[in-house]
Amino acid sequence: MAICYDEFGPLNLQPHPGHQWAPKATGPGDQANPRRRRRATYQRPNGVRHLLAGYDLSTNRLYGHVKARKRRTEFLAFARYLRTLHPAPAAQRIAIIMDNYSPHRSTKVDTRVGDWAAANNVELAYIPYYSSWLNRIEPQFTALRYLALDGTDHPRHRAQSGMIRRFIIWRNHHTTDPKLRKVIRRASLIKRAKVT
């Protein structure tokens, strides 16, 4: 079993450019269908959030939790959640593929990550530096950005987190959707092309 893991964010409360359902103006003097202006975001008093996400390669499912921070404690809590997705016999080894971000690694001072992995039969596989395109979860984030966040302007983090959760539920039930597959395929090809 292999699960790709990464963080998506920071998720700010700001207008996201992109396609939207606002009516188009027919000309420069059209006052009947004015387009809503994007609000200014000079001050952001609400902080940011981060999506901790895992993509299960064997079941083609995406899992995610929106958190205020992405430190080692939050990473371990999400890794424990990923381990519970496959509670088969202890002999079943799970590989979690991720980048070399410091909270993902054990250090001499804090060995919690390595100790947890050894105790739960989990292999932590790190991709090389500057090679995030190798992680198969990256095209899933492109689909999240394109299909769920483009053209939105959420007033609260709760609304934005709800939108992300609804997208993950929809994505897991519609894995064969042509638009979703097209966005994922195009994103994976673009990431590979940037490297070569």
Side-chain angles (χ1 to χ4, degrees), residues 32-102:
N33 293 322
R35 232 178 223 222
R36 218 177 43 204
R37 291 184 61 182
R38 272 199 261 168
R39 66 180 173 89
T41 56
Y42 304 117
Q43 297 176 348
R44 297 185 186 160
N46 299 314
V48 298
R49 299 291 184 269
H50 303 276
L51 172 67
L52 309 180
Y55 176 55
D56 192 342
L57 295 175
S58 61
T59 60
N60 191 18
R61 294 181 66 83
L62 186 66
Y63 303 97
H65 294 164
V66 177
K67 299 289 184 183
R69 295 187 174 105
K70 55 177 186 175
R71 297 177 302 180
R72 186 169 282 124
T73 305
E74 288 80 14
F75 165 69
L76 277 172
F78 190 72
R80 288 184 187 105
Y81 167 72
L82 291 177
R83 178 65 222 189
T84 61
L85 297 175
H86 299 285
Q92 184 181 16
R93 192 161 180 83
I94 291 180
I96 299 179
I97 303 162
M98 64 189 122
D99 56 10
N100 288 294
Y101 183 49
S102 61

Side-chain angles (χ1 to χ4, degrees), residues 12 35 53 78 82-83 90 105 156 159 166 186 195:
N12 293 315
R35 232 178 223 222
F78 190 72
L82 291 177
R83 178 65 222 189
R105 304 182 70 83
R156 302 271 181 264
R166 286 192 303 274
R186 186 175 63 210
V195 174

